[in-house]
Amino acid sequence: MNNINTIKGVVTAIAALLSALLGTLYVPVLLMVLCNIIDYATGLMAAKNRPDGGISSYRSIKGIKKKVSMWLLVVVGAILDQLLLYATHTIGVNIPINFLVANIVDIWIICNELISILENIVDIGTSIPGFLIPLVKNIKSQTEHIADQKESEDK
């Protein structure tokens, strides 16, 4: 019982630290990492049903590199957010939104991962409701539209 309480305490401390560091990015980052894991797992399950063959270490490493690159894209978005925050504070403008760019990047990545997960599930042989892929693609499109609007407003 004591070990379980220690594990709970460590997990709670890590979650609290991440929440304090990431702020509004906490939930989207957790969802992105969860989607990365699910996409990787469903990709492995679907590999044997694809025409290009089964599982290969090359494709597996390439997939892991893509996941790490996704995390780096969110970091780039967070850096851009901090630069914008610094610049606006320097000129005396207060912007009440933190991590806007990083959140948009994160939501876009989550949508891509969800599309990939759904495609993997189809390749595994499981039927999915017809509205799911168009729904996720619509959310992705709306995210891109919001980002384009923000870019236009900033010019």
Side-chain angles (χ1 to χ4, degrees):
M1 186 69 162
N2 193 25
N3 287 339
I4 292 174
N5 288 335
T6 302
I7 292 170
K8 285 180 183 179
V10 169
V11 169
T12 302
I14 291 170
L17 176 67
L18 286 173
S19 177
L21 289 173
L22 296 174
T24 59
L25 268 177
Y26 180 65
V27 171
V29 165
L30 287 180
L31 290 173
M32 180 184 64
V33 171
L34 178 64
C35 285
N36 287 156
I37 293 167
I38 294 170
D39 181 47
Y40 189 79
T42 57
L44 290 175
M45 290 188 288
K48 67 179 181 180
N49 298 334
R50 294 196 172 124
D52 57 351
I55 299 169
S56 84
S57 59
Y58 172 75
R59 280 194 298 257
S60 185
I61 295 296
K62 186 177 174 185
I64 291 170
K65 286 179 183 178
K66 281 179 63 177
K67 304 301 180 203
V68 171
S69 295
M70 290 175 188
W71 301 343
L72 293 175
L73 282 174
V74 174
V75 170
V76 167
I79 291 169
L80 286 171
D81 283 323
Q82 293 308 306
L83 284 173
L84 291 170
L85 188 65
Y86 175 76
T88 55
H89 279 263
T90 301
I91 62 172
V93 176
N94 185 20
I95 297 178
I97 300 170
N98 291 328
F99 296 122
L100 176 66
V101 175
N103 272 305
I104 290 172
V105 169
D106 205 347
I107 292 167
W108 184 83
I109 289 169
I110 290 169
C111 289
N112 278 339
E113 289 292 274
L114 290 173
I115 291 166
S116 181
I117 291 166
L118 292 172
E119 289 169 348
N120 289 341
I121 290 172
V122 168
D123 287 348
I124 290 168
T126 305
S127 60
I128 61 171
F131 67 88
L132 275 180
I133 291 178
L135 176 65
V136 175
K137 286 183 178 180
N138 185 34
I139 294 169
K140 179 183 172 190
S141 165
Q142 292 300 318
T143 304
E144 290 170 347
H145 180 68
I146 290 169
D148 290 341
Q149 279 183 329
K150 283 293 180 191
E151 185 179 316
S152 298
E153 290 173 6
D154 292 341
K155 289 183 179 177

